[in-house]
Amino acid sequence: MRTFISIKLSKEAIEEIKNIQKQLEKENLFIGKFTEPENLHLTLKFLGEVGEDEIEETKKKLSKIRFNCFETEIGELGVF
């Protein structure tokens, strides 16, 4: 299973990204498929292929991570 560690985005961030997508489409600056709003996230680490037997252990380890709330801003735009 392809896996990654990510953070859910706020509703405000998702709305801003949707606005950017609309503007890119309107100005014909992007050719391709936009990510659906429900799939938008901030990827922290791509883990790659993880076996089914490793998923629970990975979840267990990740559940122990604690961090303080933080703020971020949407900066540059990029595609891959």
Side-chain angles (χ1 to χ4, degrees):
M1 176 184 309
R2 286 176 53 103
T3 59
F4 55 91
I5 300 168
S6 68
I7 295 176
K8 290 182 181 180
L9 298 175
S10 68
K11 291 178 184 176
E12 295 83 9
I14 290 173
E15 286 304 314
E16 184 62 26
I17 293 169
K18 285 169 47 179
N19 289 335
I20 292 168
Q21 288 176 334
K22 287 178 190 173
Q23 190 67 30
L24 289 172
E25 185 174 44
K26 178 181 175 185
E27 296 182 22
N28 294 318
L29 295 174
F30 178 78
I31 299 171
K33 179 181 175 290
F34 289 112
T35 302
E36 297 83 3
E38 61 272 12
N39 291 331
L40 291 170
H41 62 272
L42 174 62
T43 299
L44 300 177
K45 175 74 175 162
F46 180 69
L47 300 175
E49 291 294 325
V50 175
E52 291 288 334
D53 55 328
E54 299 172 286
I55 294 293
E56 287 307 314
E57 184 63 26
T58 303
K59 286 181 181 180
K60 188 176 178 181
K61 288 179 181 178
L62 290 172
S63 71
K64 295 177 183 177
I65 297 173
R66 299 289 177 249
F67 58 91
N68 294 326
C69 199
F70 63 92
E71 291 185 24
T72 187
E73 295 180 11
I74 296 174
E76 294 182 29
L77 197 58
V79 297
F80 61 90

Coordinates of all heavy atoms in Angstrom, one line a residue:
M1 N 0.8 -1.2 0.0 CA 0.0 0.0 0.0 C 0.9 1.2 0.0 O 1.8 1.3 0.8 CB -0.9 0.0 1.3 CG -1.7 1.2 1.4 SD -2.7 1.2 2.9 CE -3.5 -0.3 2.9
R2 N 0.6 2.2 -0.9 CA 1.4 3.4 -1.0 C 0.9 4.3 0.2 O -0.2 4.6 0.4 CB 1.1 4.2 -2.3 CG 1.9 3.6 -3.4 CD 1.5 4.3 -4.7 NE 1.7 5.7 -4.7 CZ 2.7 6.3 -5.3 NH1 3.6 5.7 -5.9 NH2 2.7 7.6 -5.2
T3 N 1.9 4.7 1.0 CA 1.5 5.5 2.2 C 2.4 6.7 2.4 O 3.4 6.9 1.8 CB 1.7 4.6 3.5 OG1 3.1 4.2 3.5 CG2 0.8 3.4 3.5
F4 N 1.8 7.7 3.1 CA 2.5 8.9 3.4 C 2.0 9.5 4.7 O 0.9 9.1 5.2 CB 2.4 9.9 2.3 CG 0.9 10.2 1.9 CD1 0.2 11.2 2.6 CD2 0.3 9.5 1.0 CE1 -1.1 11.5 2.2 CE2 -1.0 9.7 0.7 CZ -1.7 10.7 1.3
I5 N 2.8 10.3 5.4 CA 2.4 11.0 6.6 C 2.0 12.4 6.2 O 2.7 13.1 5.5 CB 3.5 11.1 7.6 CG1 4.0 9.6 8.0 CG2 3.1 11.9 8.8 CD1 5.3 9.6 8.7
S6 N 0.8 12.8 6.6 CA 0.3 14.1 6.2 C -0.5 14.8 7.3 O -0.8 14.2 8.3 CB -0.6 14.0 4.9 OG -1.8 13.3 5.3
I7 N -0.8 16.1 7.0 CA -1.6 16.9 7.9 C -2.8 17.4 7.1 O -2.7 17.8 6.0 CB -0.8 18.1 8.4 CG1 0.4 17.7 9.3 CG2 -1.7 19.1 9.2 CD1 1.3 18.8 9.8
K8 N -3.9 17.3 7.8 CA -5.2 17.8 7.2 C -5.1 19.3 7.1 O -4.5 20.0 8.0 CB -6.4 17.4 8.0 CG -6.7 16.0 7.9 CD -8.0 15.7 8.7 CE -8.3 14.2 8.6 NZ -9.5 13.9 9.4
L9 N -5.6 19.9 6.1 CA -5.6 21.4 5.9 C -6.9 21.9 6.5 O -7.9 21.3 6.5 CB -5.5 21.8 4.4 CG -4.3 21.3 3.7 CD1 -4.4 21.6 2.2 CD2 -3.0 22.0 4.3
S10 N -6.8 23.2 6.9 CA -8.0 23.9 7.4 C -9.0 24.1 6.3 O -8.6 24.2 5.1 CB -7.6 25.2 8.1 OG -7.1 26.1 7.1
K11 N -10.2 24.4 6.7 CA -11.2 24.7 5.7 C -10.8 26.0 4.9 O -11.0 26.1 3.7 CB -12.6 24.9 6.3 CG -13.2 23.6 6.9 CD -14.5 23.9 7.5 CE -15.0 22.6 8.1 NZ -16.2 22.8 8.9
E12 N -10.2 26.9 5.6 CA -9.8 28.2 5.0 C -8.7 27.9 3.9 O -8.7 28.5 2.8 CB -9.3 29.2 6.0 CG -10.3 29.7 7.0 CD -10.6 28.7 8.2 OE1 -9.8 27.7 8.4 OE2 -11.5 28.9 8.9
A13 N -7.7 27.1 4.3 CA -6.7 26.7 3.3 C -7.2 26.0 2.1 O -6.8 26.3 1.0 CB -5.6 25.9 4.0
I14 N -8.1 25.1 2.3 CA -8.8 24.4 1.2 C -9.5 25.4 0.3 O -9.4 25.3 -0.9 CB -9.7 23.3 1.7 CG1 -8.8 22.2 2.3 CG2 -10.5 22.7 0.5 CD1 -9.5 21.0 3.0
E15 N -10.2 26.3 0.9 CA -11.0 27.3 0.1 C -10.0 28.2 -0.7 O -10.3 28.5 -1.9 CB -11.9 28.2 1.0 CG -13.1 27.5 1.5 CD -14.0 26.9 0.4 OE1 -14.2 27.6 -0.6 OE2 -14.4 25.7 0.5
E16 N -8.9 28.5 -0.2 CA -7.9 29.4 -0.9 C -7.3 28.6 -2.0 O -7.1 29.1 -3.1 CB -6.8 29.8 0.1 CG -5.8 30.7 -0.6 CD -6.4 32.0 -1.1 OE1 -7.4 32.5 -0.6 OE2 -5.8 32.6 -2.0
I17 N -7.0 27.3 -1.8 CA -6.5 26.5 -2.9 C -7.5 26.3 -4.0 O -7.2 26.3 -5.2 CB -6.0 25.1 -2.3 CG1 -4.8 25.3 -1.4 CG2 -5.7 24.1 -3.5 CD1 -4.4 24.1 -0.6
K18 N -8.8 26.1 -3.6 CA -9.8 26.0 -4.6 C -9.9 27.3 -5.5 O -10.1 27.3 -6.7 CB -11.2 25.7 -4.0 CG -11.3 24.3 -3.5 CD -12.5 24.0 -2.6 CE -13.8 24.6 -3.1 NZ -15.0 24.2 -2.2
N19 N -9.7 28.5 -4.8 CA -9.8 29.7 -5.5 C -8.6 29.8 -6.5 O -8.7 30.3 -7.6 CB -9.7 30.9 -4.6 CG -11.0 31.1 -3.8 OD1 -12.1 30.7 -4.2 ND2 -10.9 31.7 -2.6
I20 N -7.4 29.4 -6.1 CA -6.2 29.4 -6.9 C -6.5 28.4 -8.1 O -6.1 28.8 -9.3 CB -5.0 28.9 -6.1 CG1 -4.6 30.0 -5.1 CG2 -3.8 28.7 -7.1 CD1 -3.6 29.6 -4.1
Q21 N -7.0 27.3 -7.9 CA -7.3 26.3 -9.0 C -8.3 27.0 -10.0 O -8.1 26.9 -11.2 CB -7.9 25.1 -8.4 CG -7.0 24.2 -7.7 CD -7.6 22.9 -7.1 OE1 -8.8 22.9 -6.8 NE2 -6.8 21.9 -6.9
K22 N -9.3 27.7 -9.5 CA -10.2 28.3 -10.4 C -9.5 29.4 -11.3 O -9.8 29.5 -12.5 CB -11.4 29.0 -9.6 CG -12.4 28.0 -9.1 CD -13.4 28.7 -8.2 CE -14.3 27.7 -7.5 NZ -15.2 28.3 -6.5
Q23 N -8.7 30.2 -10.6 CA -7.9 31.2 -11.3 C -7.0 30.6 -12.4 O -6.9 31.1 -13.5 CB -7.1 32.1 -10.3 CG -6.6 33.3 -11.0 CD -7.6 34.3 -11.4 OE1 -8.7 34.4 -10.8 NE2 -7.3 35.1 -12.4
L24 N -6.3 29.5 -12.0 CA -5.4 28.9 -13.0 C -6.2 28.4 -14.2 O -5.8 28.5 -15.3 CB -4.7 27.7 -12.3 CG -3.6 28.1 -11.3 CD1 -3.1 26.9 -10.6 CD2 -2.5 28.8 -12.0
E25 N -7.4 27.8 -13.9 CA -8.3 27.3 -15.0 C -8.8 28.4 -15.9 O -8.7 28.3 -17.1 CB -9.4 26.5 -14.4 CG -10.3 25.8 -15.4 CD -11.4 24.9 -14.7 OE1 -12.0 25.4 -13.8 OE2 -11.5 23.8 -15.2
K26 N -9.2 29.5 -15.2 CA -9.8 30.6 -16.0 C -8.7 31.2 -16.9 O -9.0 31.6 -18.0 CB -10.2 31.7 -15.0 CG -10.8 32.9 -15.6 CD -11.2 33.9 -14.5 CE -11.6 35.2 -15.1 NZ -11.9 36.2 -14.0
E27 N -7.5 31.3 -16.5 CA -6.4 31.9 -17.3 C -5.7 30.9 -18.1 O -4.6 31.2 -18.7 CB -5.5 32.7 -16.3 CG -6.2 33.8 -15.6 CD -5.2 34.6 -14.7 OE1 -4.0 34.6 -15.0 OE2 -5.8 35.3 -13.8
N28 N -6.2 29.6 -18.2 CA -5.5 28.6 -19.0 C -4.0 28.4 -18.6 O -3.2 28.2 -19.5 CB -5.7 28.8 -20.5 CG -7.2 28.7 -20.9 OD1 -7.9 27.8 -20.4 ND2 -7.6 29.7 -21.7
L29 N -3.7 28.5 -17.4 CA -2.3 28.4 -16.9 C -2.0 26.9 -16.5 O -0.8 26.7 -16.1 CB -2.0 29.4 -15.8 CG -2.1 30.8 -16.2 CD1 -1.9 31.7 -15.0 CD2 -1.1 31.1 -17.3
F30 N -2.9 26.1 -16.5 CA -2.7 24.7 -16.0 C -3.5 23.7 -16.9 O -4.6 23.9 -17.2 CB -3.2 24.5 -14.6 CG -3.0 23.1 -14.0 CD1 -1.8 22.7 -13.6 CD2 -4.1 22.3 -14.0 CE1 -1.6 21.4 -13.1 CE2 -3.9 21.0 -13.5 CZ -2.7 20.6 -13.0
I31 N -2.7 22.7 -17.4 CA -3.4 21.7 -18.2 C -3.2 20.4 -17.3 O -2.1 20.0 -17.0 CB -2.7 21.5 -19.5 CG1 -2.8 22.8 -20.3 CG2 -3.3 20.3 -20.3 CD1 -2.0 22.8 -21.6
G32 N -4.3 19.8 -17.0 CA -4.3 18.6 -16.2 C -5.5 18.5 -15.3 O -6.5 19.2 -15.5
K33 N -5.4 17.6 -14.4 CA -6.5 17.4 -13.4 C -6.1 18.0 -12.1 O -5.1 17.7 -11.5 CB -6.7 15.9 -13.3 CG -7.8 15.5 -12.3 CD -7.9 14.0 -12.3 CE -8.9 13.5 -11.2 NZ -8.5 13.8 -9.9
F34 N -7.0 18.8 -11.5 CA -6.8 19.4 -10.2 C -7.1 18.3 -9.1 O -8.0 17.5 -9.3 CB -7.7 20.6 -10.0 CG -7.3 21.8 -10.8 CD1 -8.1 22.3 -11.8 CD2 -6.1 22.4 -10.5 CE1 -7.7 23.4 -12.5 CE2 -5.7 23.5 -11.2 CZ -6.5 24.0 -12.2
T35 N -6.4 18.4 -8.0 CA -6.7 17.5 -6.9 C -8.1 17.9 -6.3 O -8.4 19.1 -6.1 CB -5.6 17.7 -5.8 OG1 -4.4 17.3 -6.4 CG2 -5.9 16.8 -4.6
E36 N -8.9 16.9 -6.0 CA -10.2 17.2 -5.4 C -10.0 17.8 -4.0 O -9.1 17.4 -3.3 CB -11.0 15.9 -5.3 CG -11.4 15.3 -6.7 CD -10.3 14.4 -7.2 OE1 -9.2 14.2 -6.5 OE2 -10.4 13.9 -8.3
P37 N -10.9 18.7 -3.6 CA -10.7 19.4 -2.3 C -10.6 18.4 -1.2 O -9.9 18.6 -0.2 CB -12.0 20.2 -2.2 CG -12.4 20.5 -3.6 CD -12.0 19.3 -4.4
E38 N -11.4 17.3 -1.2 CA -11.4 16.3 -0.1 C -10.0 15.6 0.0 O -9.8 14.9 1.0 CB -12.5 15.4 -0.2 CG -12.6 14.5 -1.4 CD -13.3 15.1 -2.6 OE1 -13.6 16.3 -2.6 OE2 -13.6 14.4 -3.6
N39 N -9.2 15.7 -1.1 CA -7.9 15.0 -1.1 C -6.7 15.9 -0.8 O -5.6 15.4 -0.9 CB -7.7 14.2 -2.4 CG -8.7 13.1 -2.6 OD1 -9.1 12.5 -1.6 ND2 -9.0 12.7 -3.8
L40 N -7.0 17.2 -0.6 CA -5.9 18.1 -0.4 C -5.4 17.9 1.0 O -6.1 17.7 2.0 CB -6.4 19.6 -0.5 CG -6.8 20.0 -1.9 CD1 -7.5 21.3 -1.9 CD2 -5.6 20.1 -2.8
H41 N -4.0 17.9 1.1 CA -3.4 17.7 2.4 C -1.9 18.3 2.3 O -1.5 18.6 1.2 CB -3.3 16.3 2.8 CG -2.6 15.4 1.8 ND1 -3.2 14.9 0.7 CD2 -1.3 15.1 1.7 CE1 -2.4 14.2 0.0 NE2 -1.2 14.3 0.6
L42 N -1.2 18.3 3.4 CA 0.2 18.7 3.4 C 1.0 17.4 3.7 O 0.9 16.9 4.8 CB 0.4 19.8 4.5 CG 1.9 20.1 4.7 CD1 2.5 20.7 3.4 CD2 2.0 21.1 5.9
T43 N 1.7 16.9 2.7 CA 2.5 15.7 2.9 C 3.8 16.1 3.6 O 4.5 17.0 3.2 CB 2.9 15.1 1.5 OG1 1.7 14.7 0.9 CG2 3.7 13.8 1.7
L44 N 4.0 15.4 4.7 CA 5.2 15.6 5.5 C 6.3 14.6 5.1 O 7.5 14.9 5.1 CB 4.9 15.4 7.0 CG 3.9 16.4 7.6 CD1 3.7 16.1 9.1 CD2 4.4 17.8 7.4
K45 N 5.9 13.4 4.8 CA 6.9 12.3 4.5 C 6.2 11.3 3.7 O 5.1 10.7 4.0 CB 7.4 11.7 5.8 CG 8.3 10.5 5.6 CD 9.7 10.9 5.0 CE 10.6 9.7 5.0 NZ 11.7 9.9 4.2
F46 N 6.7 11.0 2.5 CA 6.2 9.9 1.7 C 6.9 8.6 2.1 O 8.2 8.5 2.1 CB 6.5 10.2 0.2 CG 6.0 9.1 -0.7 CD1 4.7 8.8 -0.9 CD2 6.9 8.3 -1.4 CE1 4.2 7.8 -1.7 CE2 6.5 7.2 -2.2 CZ 5.1 7.0 -2.4
L47 N 6.2 7.6 2.5 CA 6.8 6.4 3.0 C 6.9 5.3 1.9 O 7.7 4.4 2.1 CB 5.9 5.8 4.2 CG 5.7 6.7 5.4 CD1 4.7 6.0 6.3 CD2 7.0 7.0 6.0
G48 N 6.2 5.5 0.9 CA 6.3 4.5 -0.2 C 5.4 3.3 0.1 O 4.4 3.4 0.8
E49 N 5.8 2.2 -0.5 CA 5.1 0.9 -0.3 C 5.3 0.4 1.2 O 6.4 0.2 1.6 CB 5.5 -0.1 -1.3 CG 5.1 0.2 -2.7 CD 3.6 0.2 -2.9 OE1 2.9 -0.7 -2.3 OE2 3.1 1.0 -3.7
V50 N 4.2 0.2 1.9 CA 4.2 -0.4 3.2 C 3.3 -1.6 3.2 O 2.1 -1.5 2.8 CB 3.8 0.7 4.3 CG1 3.7 0.0 5.6 CG2 4.7 1.9 4.3
G51 N 3.8 -2.7 3.7 CA 3.0 -3.9 3.7 C 1.8 -3.8 4.7 O 1.9 -3.1 5.7
E52 N 0.8 -4.5 4.5 CA -0.4 -4.5 5.4 C 0.0 -4.9 6.8 O -0.5 -4.3 7.7 CB -1.5 -5.6 4.9 CG -2.2 -5.2 3.6 CD -3.1 -4.0 3.8 OE1 -3.7 -3.8 4.9 OE2 -3.4 -3.4 2.8
D53 N 1.0 -5.8 7.0 CA 1.4 -6.1 8.3 C 2.1 -5.0 9.0 O 2.2 -5.0 10.2 CB 2.3 -7.4 8.2 CG 3.5 -7.2 7.3 OD1 3.3 -6.5 6.3 OD2 4.5 -7.8 7.6
E54 N 2.7 -4.0 8.3 CA 3.4 -2.9 8.9 C 2.5 -1.7 9.2 O 2.9 -0.8 9.9 CB 4.5 -2.5 7.9 CG 5.5 -3.6 7.6 CD 6.5 -3.1 6.5 OE1 6.1 -3.1 5.4 OE2 7.6 -2.8 6.9
I55 N 1.3 -1.7 8.6 CA 0.4 -0.5 8.8 C 0.1 -0.3 10.2 O 0.2 0.9 10.7 CB -0.9 -0.7 8.0 CG1 -0.5 -0.7 6.5 CG2 -1.9 0.4 8.3 CD1 0.0 0.6 5.9
E56 N -0.3 -1.3 11.0 CA -0.7 -1.1 12.4 C 0.5 -0.6 13.2 O 0.3 0.2 14.1 CB -1.3 -2.4 13.0 CG -2.7 -2.6 12.4 CD -3.7 -1.5 12.6 OE1 -3.7 -0.8 13.7 OE2 -4.4 -1.1 11.6
E57 N 1.6 -1.2 13.0 CA 2.8 -0.8 13.7 C 3.2 0.7 13.4 O 3.6 1.4 14.3 CB 4.0 -1.7 13.4 CG 5.3 -1.4 14.2 CD 5.1 -1.6 15.7 OE1 4.3 -2.4 16.1 OE2 5.9 -0.9 16.4
T58 N 3.1 1.0 12.1 CA 3.3 2.4 11.7 C 2.4 3.4 12.4 O 2.8 4.4 13.0 CB 3.2 2.6 10.2 OG1 4.2 1.7 9.6 CG2 3.5 4.0 9.8
K59 N 1.1 3.0 12.4 CA 0.1 3.9 13.1 C 0.4 4.0 14.6 O 0.2 5.1 15.2 CB -1.3 3.2 12.9 CG -1.9 3.4 11.6 CD -3.3 2.8 11.6 CE -4.0 2.8 10.3 NZ -5.4 2.2 10.3
K60 N 0.8 2.9 15.2 CA 1.1 2.9 16.6 C 2.2 3.9 16.9 O 2.2 4.7 17.9 CB 1.4 1.5 17.1 CG 1.6 1.3 18.5 CD 1.9 -0.2 18.8 CE 2.1 -0.5 20.3 NZ 2.4 -1.9 20.6
K61 N 3.3 3.8 16.1 CA 4.4 4.7 16.3 C 4.0 6.2 16.1 O 4.4 7.0 16.8 CB 5.6 4.3 15.4 CG 6.2 3.0 15.8 CD 7.3 2.7 14.8 CE 8.0 1.4 15.2 NZ 9.1 1.0 14.2
L62 N 3.3 6.4 15.0 CA 2.8 7.8 14.7 C 1.9 8.3 15.8 O 2.0 9.5 16.1 CB 2.1 7.8 13.4 CG 3.0 7.6 12.2 CD1 2.2 7.5 10.9 CD2 4.0 8.7 12.0
S63 N 1.1 7.5 16.5 CA 0.2 8.0 17.5 C 0.9 8.5 18.7 O 0.4 9.3 19.5 CB -0.8 6.9 17.9 OG -0.1 5.9 18.7
K64 N 2.2 8.2 18.9 CA 3.0 8.6 20.0 C 3.6 10.0 19.8 O 4.1 10.6 20.7 CB 4.1 7.6 20.3 CG 3.6 6.3 20.8 CD 4.7 5.3 21.0 CE 4.1 3.9 21.4 NZ 5.1 2.9 21.6
I65 N 3.6 10.5 18.6 CA 4.2 11.8 18.2 C 3.3 12.9 18.8 O 2.1 12.9 18.6 CB 4.4 12.0 16.7 CG1 5.3 10.9 16.2 CG2 4.8 13.4 16.4 CD1 5.5 10.9 14.7
R66 N 3.9 13.9 19.5 CA 3.2 15.0 20.0 C 3.9 16.3 19.5 O 5.1 16.4 19.4 CB 3.2 15.0 21.5 CG 2.5 13.8 22.1 CD 1.0 13.9 21.9 NE 0.3 12.7 22.4 CZ -0.2 11.8 21.7 NH1 -0.2 11.9 20.4 NH2 -0.8 10.7 22.3
F67 N 3.1 17.3 19.1 CA 3.7 18.5 18.7 C 2.7 19.6 18.9 O 1.5 19.4 19.1 CB 4.0 18.5 17.2 CG 2.9 18.2 16.3 CD1 2.1 19.2 15.7 CD2 2.6 16.9 15.9 CE1 1.0 18.9 14.9 CE2 1.5 16.6 15.1 CZ 0.7 17.6 14.6
N68 N 3.2 20.8 19.1 CA 2.4 22.0 19.3 C 1.7 22.5 18.0 O 2.2 22.2 16.9 CB 3.3 23.1 19.9 CG 3.8 22.8 21.2 OD1 3.2 22.1 22.0 ND2 5.0 23.3 21.5
C69 N 0.6 23.1 18.2 CA -0.1 23.7 17.1 C 0.8 24.7 16.4 O 1.7 25.4 17.0 CB -1.3 24.4 17.6 SG -2.6 24.8 16.4
F70 N 0.7 24.8 15.1 CA 1.6 25.8 14.4 C 0.7 26.4 13.2 O -0.3 25.9 12.8 CB 2.8 25.1 13.8 CG 2.6 24.0 12.8 CD1 2.5 24.3 11.5 CD2 2.4 22.7 13.3 CE1 2.3 23.3 10.6 CE2 2.1 21.7 12.4 CZ 2.1 22.0 11.0
E71 N 1.2 27.5 12.7 CA 0.6 28.2 11.6 C 1.6 28.1 10.4 O 2.8 28.1 10.6 CB 0.3 29.6 11.9 CG -0.8 29.8 12.9 CD -1.2 31.2 13.2 OE1 -1.0 32.0 12.3 OE2 -1.7 31.5 14.3
T72 N 1.0 28.1 9.2 CA 1.8 28.2 8.0 C 1.0 29.0 7.0 O -0.1 29.3 7.2 CB 2.0 26.7 7.5 OG1 3.0 26.8 6.4 CG2 0.8 26.0 7.1
E73 N 1.7 29.3 5.9 CA 1.1 30.1 4.9 C 1.3 29.4 3.5 O 2.3 28.7 3.3 CB 1.8 31.5 4.8 CG 1.5 32.4 6.0 CD 2.2 33.7 5.9 OE1 2.7 34.1 4.8 OE2 2.2 34.4 6.9
I74 N 0.4 29.7 2.6 CA 0.5 29.2 1.3 C 1.5 30.1 0.5 O 1.2 31.3 0.5 CB -0.8 29.1 0.6 CG1 -1.7 28.0 1.3 CG2 -0.6 28.7 -0.9 CD1 -3.1 28.0 0.7
G75 N 2.5 29.6 0.0 CA 3.5 30.4 -0.7 C 3.5 30.2 -2.2 O 2.5 30.6 -2.8
E76 N 4.5 29.6 -2.7 CA 4.7 29.4 -4.1 C 3.8 28.3 -4.6 O 3.5 27.4 -3.8 CB 6.1 29.2 -4.4 CG 7.0 30.3 -4.2 CD 8.5 30.0 -4.5 OE1 8.7 29.2 -5.5 OE2 9.3 30.6 -3.9
L77 N 3.5 28.3 -5.8 CA 2.7 27.3 -6.5 C 3.6 26.4 -7.3 O 4.5 26.9 -8.0 CB 1.7 28.0 -7.4 CG 0.5 27.3 -7.9 CD1 -0.3 26.8 -6.7 CD2 -0.4 28.2 -8.7
G78 N 3.4 25.1 -7.3 CA 4.2 24.2 -8.1 C 3.4 23.0 -8.5 O 2.3 22.7 -7.9
V79 N 3.8 22.3 -9.5 CA 3.2 21.0 -9.9 C 4.2 20.0 -10.2 O 5.4 20.3 -10.4 CB 2.3 21.2 -11.2 CG1 1.2 22.2 -10.9 CG2 3.1 21.7 -12.3
F80 N 3.8 18.7 -10.2 CA 4.8 17.7 -10.6 C 4.0 16.6 -11.3 O 2.8 16.6 -11.3 CB 5.5 17.1 -9.4 CG 4.6 16.4 -8.4 CD1 4.2 15.1 -8.4 CD2 4.1 17.2 -7.3 CE1 3.4 14.5 -7.5 CE2 3.3 16.6 -6.3 CZ 2.9 15.3 -6.4

